[in-house]
Amino acid sequence: MALKVLSALDTAKTQYYHFKAIIIAGMGLFTDAYDLFCIPPILILISRIYYDEKKTTIEKTINIPKQVMTIIIGTALLGTVIGQLIFGRMGDLIGRRRVYGLALMLMVMSSIGCGFSICTSRECVIGSLVFFRFLLGVGIGGDYPLSATIMSEFANKRTRGAFIAAVFSMQGFGILASSIVTVVVCQIFKGVSHASNIAPAPSNATVALAPSNSSVDLAGADIAWRLILMLGSIPAALTYYWRMLMPETARYTALVEQNALQAAKDMEKVLQVSMSQITEEVPLEPRPPSYPLLSKKFLRHHGRDLFASSTSWFLLDIVFYSSNLFQSKIYHKYVDKWTNPYDEVIRVARVQAIVAVCATIPGYYVTVCLIDRIGRVRIQFLGFFFMAIVYLAIGIPYQYHWYKEADFWFMFLYGLTFFFANFGPNTTTFIVPAELFPARFRSTCHGISGAIGKVGALIGTVGLLWVIDEDEDGYPKPEGMTKALITMGGVCFLGMAVTYFFTRETMGRSLEENENEDESSELCFFRCLTGSCIQRTNSSPSEVAAA
């Protein structure tokens, strides 16, 4: 029999506190996206300041060496993997609330650290940036399982998917904010310096020794990219106080700490219910956990779910992060003319903002509207399907048509990949792990799923960086880009298969019903093979057993 406080959570009407929780939890995702996706335009400034050693006028793209680019991008993603595993496990061992503020504070301090350096030599700046972006990645990784788990455990079962999707949608606004801040900061510094053409960096890449005849204030450009990174810490810092005021989730207190009375007291503060409605009449006997994490029994009951959520996230992130972090490589036609580094950065950020407004953010909110109507599995399946079709549509003819004629229709199709990623697996892979697993494993399993996903992101971004060869002007050669886009389409087809055969639907069921501990893996696998996972949305545990 369900505890009264948990039943009250499942049936609670949408209240002010739900929206407050969305903002508090979502601001972490906002900061995540800002910090991860502001780096492509920032790398342009860094390349002009520290790697342009020969020219006084930009005639071709100046790129940071691939080895350095790999380290800068890869360390942040590696930190995310570590953060998801560590904070995900800590969230189950000592409580969601106790480590929630720690992850946010780590993001705030690391964002400030990314823009701070006591020296200006190339080696020192890159080393400092790499170190703090690794710590930033750890904080970002920690925020994923905690935000998803907390929102899922506060929400009612009727609108739980929409609430978690709304938290995740803050990523879109983070991407948009990073683009806007980049444009504004660069416009200000461009106006102050009256830039027209960039001057060469000195041979030792020390900004302080820039030549006096420099037509671009290199010291000003060096401050600009640091300021952009530091500004990302402000939204997260503003929500730290409110995170510390959040009570522990009732499901953790009641089911993991086995203190139903304290859970009722905590929920009385945020739900419009009286203690008499959510307090148990008879004190409950403590029940020790029946099996530990990753035991044979855990794998028998939840191994297939963990495989489905991890693999789907892995395949999605291969495509999603490589497309996002290297957007400028794909739509290079729109940013290939500039007179100074500020102009190029502004143009890259503007196109990134247009994609966010027209494709990324709408995709998130279509999911918010439909996820509790048509289900997680259908949205994930359709998202992978349409992404695959679009990647093939722009990839197959890319070498012969799109490379030279990257017109409106190319940008429209390319934008659709972001729309269907977010009205699809990018959102559902964040939601499903927060719903499938028992309370004592929920944060850990979400962290494992996300960590495996970020391994996919690491493979996708680093792989794309090394697979795509560039011509003498620094643009990707059409042969390599064609192979990359077609490969992305193939990865999306694999995501469809994993979704169809292995992913269980969680719509309309309480978190305790979704645990499904009485169902054998063989029966679950049979249902997935027959496609009934997609149809089974509101069945009760007794109906599951009867099936």
Side-chain angles (χ1 to χ4, degrees), residues 131-145:
F131 174 75
F132 283 107
R133 281 193 66 78
F134 173 79
L135 293 181
L136 175 65
V138 174
I140 289 174
D143 195 74
Y144 269 71

Side-chain angles (χ1 to χ4, degrees), residues 92-172:
D92 284 334
L93 292 178
I94 64 176
R96 289 75 159 112
R97 178 184 174 277
R98 290 185 177 92
V99 294
Y100 204 25
L102 179 60
L104 189 70
M105 186 51 62
L106 184 58
M107 282 194 291
V108 171
M109 301 306 296
S110 300
S111 295
I112 296 173
C114 284
F116 179 75
S117 177
I118 60 174
C119 54
T120 54
S121 67
R122 175 194 298 171
E123 293 76 12
C124 182
V125 168
I126 296 301
S128 173
L129 182 62
V130 167
F131 174 75
F132 283 107
R133 281 193 66 78
F134 173 79
L135 293 181
L136 175 65
V138 174
I140 289 174
D143 195 74
Y144 269 71
L146 296 173
S147 292
T149 299
I150 286 173
M151 196 67 242
S152 71
E153 293 182 344
F154 272 126
N156 62 61
K157 65 180 181 180
R158 183 176 58 85
T159 58
R160 184 179 61 238
F163 286 159
I164 306 174
V167 169
F168 195 63
S169 71
M170 296 298 287
Q171 267 200 346

Side-chain angles (χ1 to χ4, degrees), residues 352-399:
Q352 192 168 285
I354 292 171
V355 172
V357 170
C358 296
T360 302
I361 294 175
Y364 284 122
Y365 279 96
V366 173
T367 303
V368 171
C369 294
L370 297 181
I371 193 164
D372 289 312
R373 299 182 183 182
I374 66 177
R376 289 75 162 140
V377 173
R378 284 192 178 94
I379 288 177
Q380 184 166 303
F381 183 88
L382 291 174
F384 270 128
F385 173 75
F386 284 110
M387 287 172 68
I389 296 300
V390 174
Y391 275 122
L392 293 180
I394 62 177
I396 293 174
Y398 183 87
Q399 181 176 352

Side-chain angles (χ1 to χ4, degrees), residues 339-350:
T339 57
N340 59 69
Y342 293 125
D343 283 341
E344 183 182 4
V345 170
I346 289 169
R347 293 178 184 181
V348 168
R350 280 176 177 170

Side-chain angles (χ1 to χ4, degrees), residues 227-246:
L227 183 60
I228 292 169
L229 285 172
M230 289 180 176
L231 288 173
S233 66
I234 295 176
L238 293 176
T239 59
Y240 179 79
Y241 172 76
W242 298 106
R243 280 199 179 188
M244 292 299 93
L245 292 182
M246 292 181 72

Side-chain angles (χ1 to χ4, degrees), residues 148-436:
T149 299
I150 286 173
M151 196 67 242
S152 71
E153 293 182 344
F154 272 126
N156 62 61
K157 65 180 181 180
R158 183 176 58 85
T159 58
R160 184 179 61 238
F163 286 159
I164 306 174
V167 169
F168 195 63
S169 71
M170 296 298 287
Q171 267 200 346
F173 292 102
I175 296 172
L176 179 60
S178 71
S179 301
I180 293 174
V181 169
T182 299
V183 170
V184 171
V185 170
C186 287
Q187 287 283 18
I188 292 173
F189 276 84
K190 175 186 173 184
V192 170
S193 64
H194 302 288
S196 59
N197 290 290
I198 189 168
S203 59
N204 63 357
T206 302
V207 175
L209 301 178
S212 59
N213 62 350
S214 173
S215 57
V216 167
D217 179 10
L218 290 181
D222 197 53
I223 294 173
W225 69 264
R226 297 169 187 270
L227 183 60
I228 292 169
L229 285 172
M230 289 180 176
L231 288 173
S233 66
I234 295 176
L238 293 176
T239 59
Y240 179 79
Y241 172 76
W242 298 106
R243 280 199 179 188
M244 292 299 93
L245 292 182
M246 292 181 72
E248 183 57 83
T249 68
R251 283 187 160 89
Y252 183 84
T253 304
L255 299 177
V256 181
E257 295 183 337
Q258 300 190 13
N259 190 342
L261 179 60
Q262 184 61 47
K265 290 179 180 179
D266 289 340
M267 289 305 98
E268 185 190 26
K269 300 175 184 177
V270 298
L271 295 178
Q272 297 174 0
V273 294
S274 64
M275 278 290 292
S276 60
Q277 294 177 282
I278 56 178
T279 305
E280 300 301 316
E281 297 175 0
V282 180
L284 301 177
E285 292 279 338
R287 293 187 300 173
S290 58
Y291 54 88
L293 177 69
L294 300 183
S295 61
K296 290 183 179 180
K297 191 171 183 180
F298 170 88
L299 293 176
R300 184 167 68 250
H301 289 305
H302 308 291
R304 202 169 299 279
D305 288 335
L306 187 58
F307 169 81
S309 59
S310 300
T311 306
S312 298
W313 207 330
F314 174 83
L315 296 171
L316 177 276
D317 275 4
I318 289 177
V319 174
F320 184 74
Y321 276 83
S322 56
S323 291
N324 263 289
L325 293 176
F326 294 101
Q327 284 185 45
S328 59
K329 298 291 185 183
I330 296 176
Y331 53 65
H332 62 84
K333 174 184 175 182
Y334 295 89
V335 296
D336 63 354
K337 299 295 182 182
W338 60 85
T339 57
N340 59 69
Y342 293 125
D343 283 341
E344 183 182 4
V345 170
I346 289 169
R347 293 178 184 181
V348 168
R350 280 176 177 170
V351 176
Q352 192 168 285
I354 292 171
V355 172
V357 170
C358 296
T360 302
I361 294 175
Y364 284 122
Y365 279 96
V366 173
T367 303
V368 171
C369 294
L370 297 181
I371 193 164
D372 289 312
R373 299 182 183 182
I374 66 177
R376 289 75 162 140
V377 173
R378 284 192 178 94
I379 288 177
Q380 184 166 303
F381 183 88
L382 291 174
F384 270 128
F385 173 75
F386 284 110
M387 287 172 68
I389 296 300
V390 174
Y391 275 122
L392 293 180
I394 62 177
I396 293 174
Y398 183 87
Q399 181 176 352
Y400 307 101
H401 178 67
W402 296 121
Y403 178 68
K404 295 182 179 180
E405 301 293 335
D407 54 14
F408 167 80
W409 292 109
F410 173 82
M411 291 300 295
F412 174 78
L413 291 173
Y414 180 63
L416 285 180
T417 65
F418 292 94
F419 176 83
F420 284 110
N422 296 305
F423 176 47
N426 189 42
T427 304
T428 55
T429 53
F430 180 79
I431 295 172
V432 172
E435 299 180 314
L436 276 178

